[in-house]
Amino acid sequence: MQRIAALTGNEAAAEAMRQIEPDVVAAYPITPQTELMQKFAQFVADGIVKTEVVLVESEHSAMSACVGACAAGARVMTATSSQGLALMWEIVYIAASTRLPIVMTVVNRALSAPINIHCDHSDSMGCRDSGWIQLYSENPQEVYDNVVQAVRIAEHPDVLLPVMPTLDGFIISHTLERVETLADDAVKKFIGEWRPAYPLLDVDHPITFGALDLQDYYFEHKKQQAEAMTRAKEVILAIGKEYGKLTGRGYGFFDEYRTDDAEYIILCLGSAAGTVKSVVDELRNRGRKVGVLKLRVFRPFPDGELARAIGHARAIAVLDRAEGFNAVGGPLAPEVKSALYKKSDADVCNYVYGLGGRDLSPVMIRSVFDDLAEGRADARQAIHLGVRE
Amino acid sequence: MAINLKELSKKPIPISPGHRACAGCGSIITIKLVLMAAEDPIVCACATGCMEVVTTIYPYTAWRVPFMHNAFENAAATMSGIESAYRSLKKQGRIGKNIKFIAFGGDGGTYDIGLQSLSGAMERGHDMLYVCYDNEAYMNTGIQRSGSTPMCAATSTSPVGKAAQGKKQYPKDLTRIMAAHRIPYIAQASPHRWLDLMTKVQKALRIEGPKFINALSSCHRGWRVPMSNSLEVCRMAVETCYWPLFEIENGVWKLNYRPKTKVPIIEWFKTQKRFQHLLKPENAPAVAEIQADVDRRWSELLQLCGEKIAP
């Protein structure tokens, strides 16, 4: 039985956390994540979850405490945004390399400077090579679903990597929408119990975490970590399918919308997909063969699957909600281009949009499809969409 | 339970021989004494630094107790997480044992980069003992000055030259910064008075809540002393009142050791090459200034401990 509720993206994540009932949550407040942790703190204050909440003095300590708690043997979650994630950066890498299945919801927000509290993906994209699995969500429903699945993915014995479900700051985090939630016991049953193989608190079998790894072992450990990320692909698909059986909402690496016979495809992450879908419907009604592919799983990157899904298109526009400052474009486009390399003749062009919370309007999306159809899109250099020249 | 040498000798040593600490390292002696003092099972965390590097070169470990190293500045925050996990799992009946938690950091990881995380952990009241092994510089990375380096000490980043006579500032008084946190137990100790140090550790571990011990732990590489003098040089720091031994239990200050005769600070300087420039006649005013500072701080401490300030 699923319940229907009106929840913001933050509330949807907090509700999932309440049902997951992690053993430890360590967090520091930051806009636009604050509502999420406030909501969860209320659950704790009301005594309806058993979680130990550690209200630390910085995000650096939040991630540090999560690492300690997870190594100790606890199921651990946190949430952050923007500068908070940037401050955690060092320990974000340590969490992944120590193979600790922490789940951290990232409410996407632009990075300073200039300071800006609104949405873009520069924060989570900054962690793209940190060894965390990244799941992007389109709306509060997907936030809920991704947070629940994240626990299973992270703790899978073939994976043991931390997972970062993300949601667009304010656009999703503060927007009230219809969300179907599972019954508490159904969530508990789906995620199961977390029984780590080598908990630090097993004093009868002492082990050392965080040893110094020199030239003779570091490389091997990095390779094992990379292999875990590769294995995660299969696990993500299996868990997405199982979740689908439970809820009717199955999940894969991406969501294809009218792409089968599409000549022109937009590829994007997060909330932008909703707006693009409505423009696709409108253009389809006018007989134009357009579609949208919403990428859910950015890490691990599903390159082969992506090439099979959109390689037939004539032209593809990749929308990036982050600048790469590489004099080419955003971080997503080069990965899509390399996925299609030698597998597709499609032109791939890059649009950077929505930085610092700038709106993505249907007019802009129509202009992107027009550019694709008329061969105007610059295949080398990213176009900054909706920016004043 | 009083500490008894005979009983102690029968106890398994929680840190194994074969670690890569320098022969005569003051810090490893401190850590060994701290671990040996614990009565309950313990879980340790350590900041990045000498002690982590010399004890955990993969695939070996010298720790016979559960041990975690996370990063340089977060031993206290990491331990906050470990201790919170313990509370959570204990509450749920998933752990039955009583476990005590000890975090270690050098002066770099404690006085400097880790101060925020330590302060936060103490303010939040986690049930842990934090031990700073204070060797007065960033020894692990090549003897750079830290917030604990004494005035005028020569280090690789506060060298002696034509324009400078070593470090230009006094160290911060971390023990008193910790006292300002109003935690139930704070102490200053030295490994040369092993019984005092171990008694303090036992006392601290019996108290619930956050505890802090600052232990002077000589580094013969950095202090430029013969390796056989590690403990002697610590003794001189205490005899000169540069490093007084005291404790603060629930806000009550207590002096643990009062030298019969206060040795002039120059005698401590004479034992270490990092201060050898201070022995030149032209640096006599600097020595006098440091002596005045030691005297003033010693009287302050006597006052705080309710001791007679007499000669």
Side-chain angles (χ1 to χ4, degrees):
Chain A
M1 250 327 263
Q2 297 190 61
R3 286 173 302 175
I4 295 167
L7 300 173
T8 65
N10 273 339
E11 287 170 345
E15 177 65 4
M17 281 173 74
R18 179 188 68 73
Q19 295 180 314
I20 293 160
E21 213 180 345
D23 301 311
V24 176
V25 165
Y28 189 76
I30 181 165
T31 305
Q33 164 260 55
T34 28
E35 186 196 24
L36 195 169
M37 283 320 303
Q38 285 167 7
K39 194 88 189 161
F40 190 72
Q42 190 64 53
F43 293 142
V44 177
D46 291 339
I48 56 176
V49 288
K50 57 168 195 269
T51 310
E52 280 290 329
V53 174
V54 194
L55 299 169
V56 283
E57 83 295 339
S58 74
E59 282 92 349
H60 193 283
S61 286
M63 187 45 64
S64 302
C66 285
V67 163
C70 195
R75 180 175 265 160
V76 181
M77 296 180 79
T78 183
T80 193
S81 291
S82 182
Q83 303 306 115
L85 183 54
L87 184 57
M88 283 179 181
W89 196 81
E90 180 197 23
I91 316 302
V92 161
Y93 272 71
I94 292 174
S97 306
T98 314
R99 308 291 299 277
L100 298 172
I102 298 161
V103 173
M104 170 165 68
T105 303
V106 170
V107 187
N108 286 119
R109 165 184 152 186
L111 283 175
S112 292
I115 188 167
N116 174 298
I117 60 164
H118 292 283
C119 176
D120 69 37
H121 297 159
S122 49
D123 51 1
S124 55
M125 282 296 162
C127 287
R128 68 176 198 264
D129 301 333
S130 63
W132 283 59
I133 290 168
Q134 291 195 352
L135 309 175
Y136 286 77
S137 322
E138 182 185 329
N139 49 42
Q141 179 68 64
E142 291 193 3
V143 171
Y144 174 84
D145 295 341
N146 279 335
V147 171
V148 173
Q149 290 172 75
V151 176
R152 271 290 294 282
I153 297 167
E155 293 172 1
H156 194 285
D158 289 347
V159 179
L160 290 175
L161 287 173
V163 181
M164 191 184 287
T166 77
L167 60 145
D168 287 355
F170 294 107
I171 301 167
I172 303 177
S173 67
H174 287 64
T175 300
L176 201 65
E177 280 191 21
R178 179 189 184 281
V179 177
E180 288 181 18
T181 62
L182 287 160
D184 293 0
D185 56 350
V187 171
K188 291 248 157 50
K189 201 174 154 209
F190 181 77
I191 60 171
E193 280 190 10
W194 166 231
R195 289 280 184 259
Y198 304 104
L200 192 62
L201 291 178
D202 182 359
V203 288
D204 297 326
H205 303 94
I207 72 153
T208 290
F209 270 88
L212 173 70
D213 225 10
L214 298 174
Q215 302 94 319
D216 45 0
Y217 286 100
Y218 182 85
F219 205 175
E220 278 71 22
H221 286 145
K222 287 290 130 180
K223 180 161 182 281
Q224 289 175 6
Q225 200 183 332
E227 285 167 351
M229 191 55 100
T230 307
R231 286 195 299 271
K233 287 181 72 176
E234 209 175 300
V235 172
I236 291 167
L237 288 182
I239 288 169
K241 215 177 202 176
E242 190 186 328
Y243 191 76
K245 277 191 197 142
L246 185 66
T247 60
R249 297 183 301 276
Y251 284 85
F253 295 135
F254 39 72
D255 180 17
E256 296 157 84
Y257 189 75
R258 305 187 87 161
T259 53
D260 276 357
D261 62 339
E263 291 174 353
Y264 305 106
I265 293 174
I266 286 180
L267 187 150
C268 62
L269 295 166
S271 64
T275 320
V276 182
K277 281 177 195 166
S278 73
V279 173
V280 163
D281 286 342
E282 177 201 316
L283 296 180
R284 281 273 178 181
N285 288 343
R286 286 196 249 146
R288 290 175 61 179
K289 289 190 167 174
V290 294
V292 52
L293 184 135
K294 178 189 71 185
L295 190 61
R296 170 189 179 230
V297 181
F298 179 64
R299 284 290 180 271
F301 194 77
D303 67 338
E305 295 83 355
L306 204 60
R308 283 194 288 281
I310 58 172
H312 63 274
R314 278 196 197 174
I316 296 159
V318 180
L319 304 193
D320 256 303
R321 200 160 197 153
E323 237 305 339
F325 302 112
N326 50 8
V328 182
L332 182 55
E335 308 230 7
V336 176
K337 286 178 189 174
S338 85
L340 297 179
Y341 182 66
K342 288 193 173 171
K343 289 178 187 153
S344 164
D345 294 327
D347 281 334
V348 182
C349 58
N350 187 200
Y351 290 81
V352 172
Y353 77 102
L355 300 190
R358 178 68 51 89
D359 251 354
L360 175 68
S361 71
V363 175
M364 292 174 200
I365 295 162
R366 277 195 292 270
S367 80
V368 171
F369 278 125
D370 289 346
D371 285 351
L372 292 183
E374 289 156 34
R376 274 201 307 266
D378 188 326
R380 288 295 308 160
Q381 192 89 22
I383 294 166
H384 289 82
L385 197 58
V387 74
R388 288 188 297 276
E389 298 296 339
Chain B
M1 199 167 42
I3 294 165
N4 172 326
L5 253 188
K6 199 173 161 190
E7 290 304 312
L8 212 55
S9 69
K10 293 181 199 157
K11 250 184 119 171
I13 301 171
I15 195 139
S16 76
H19 57 71
R20 271 84 156 210
C22 304
C25 165
S27 303
I28 200 86
I29 298 172
T30 295
I31 286 190
K32 184 177 155 185
L33 292 171
V34 170
L35 297 176
M36 294 284 288
E39 294 158 309
D40 286 310
I42 46 175
V43 172
C44 292
C46 191
T48 310
C50 281
M51 287 305 100
E52 168 263 330
V53 166
V54 302
T55 53
T56 71
I57 302 182
Y58 190 86
Y60 304 105
T61 180
W63 296 84
R64 288 169 172 162
V65 294
F67 170 88
M68 177 154 213
H69 157 251
N70 187 347
F72 193 5
E73 65 285 64
N74 63 0
T78 304
M79 196 47 103
S80 300
I82 296 170
E83 187 263 349
S84 300
Y86 169 70
R87 266 186 293 122
S88 179
L89 300 180
K90 193 141 202 213
K91 195 166 65 180
Q92 298 172 51
R94 285 162 59 190
I95 282 184
K97 282 201 164 81
N98 281 323
I99 304 175
K100 298 287 164 70
F101 299 93
I102 306 177
F104 294 101
D107 49 295
T110 309
Y111 281 67
D112 294 343
I113 192 170
L115 184 60
Q116 171 188 305
S117 111
L118 172 62
S119 174
M122 297 290 117
E123 180 268 333
R124 290 191 299 275
H126 293 284
D127 189 14
M128 68 161 95
L129 166 63
Y130 189 103
V131 178
C132 173
Y133 62 93
D134 184 355
N135 51 33
E136 302 190 326
Y138 290 89
M139 299 308 184
N140 183 42
T141 44
I143 320 167
Q144 295 87 3
R145 64 88 87 185
S146 82
S148 164
T149 302
M151 169 75 109
C152 288
T155 71
S156 59
T157 52
S158 63
V160 174
K162 277 185 187 149
Q165 296 297 310
K167 194 193 179 197
K168 290 179 175 168
Q169 304 86 8
Y170 285 106
K172 63 175 97 164
D173 189 339
L174 182 69
T175 314
R176 284 176 72 168
I177 293 172
M178 296 318 293
H181 284 68
R182 302 188 294 179
I183 55 177
Y185 188 79
I186 298 146
Q188 207 162 273
S190 162
H192 83 280
R193 289 187 71 87
W194 62 271
L195 189 59
D196 175 74
L197 170 59
M198 291 181 83
T199 309
K200 284 171 175 168
V201 171
Q202 281 203 342
K203 195 181 233 184
L205 289 178
R206 285 186 200 132
I207 298 169
E208 205 184 312
K211 288 85 59 174
F212 177 83
I213 295 177
N214 202 355
L216 187 70
S217 302
S218 60
C219 168
H220 56 72
R221 296 291 77 220
W223 295 16
R224 303 291 180 213
V225 297
M227 63 175 83
S228 54
N229 277 14
S230 307
L231 294 181
E232 172 57 22
V233 79
C234 287
R235 191 184 71 82
M236 279 301 275
V238 173
E239 296 296 328
T240 56
C241 300
Y242 180 82
W243 190 265
L245 306 181
F246 62 95
E247 61 191 337
I248 310 161
E249 205 176 336
N250 294 317
V252 180
W253 293 62
K254 187 182 164 195
L255 193 69
N256 303 115
Y257 175 74
R258 189 166 184 159
K260 284 200 181 69
T261 14
K262 190 161 154 236
V263 177
I265 192 74
I266 189 113
E267 297 304 317
W268 188 52
F269 292 160
K270 282 180 192 166
T271 60
Q272 303 157 65
K273 282 199 177 148
R274 63 176 174 159
F275 294 121
Q276 69 179 357
H277 53 290
L278 290 180
L279 308 181
K280 290 183 191 159
E282 62 267 33
N283 281 329
V287 175
E289 213 177 284
I290 298 170
Q291 182 67 61
D293 184 63
V294 171
D295 294 345
R296 182 182 56 77
R297 294 167 50 76
W298 175 247
S299 321
E300 261 177 32
L301 180 67
L302 291 178
Q303 214 157 10
L304 285 163
C305 295
E307 296 268 333
K308 263 196 225 144
I309 304 201

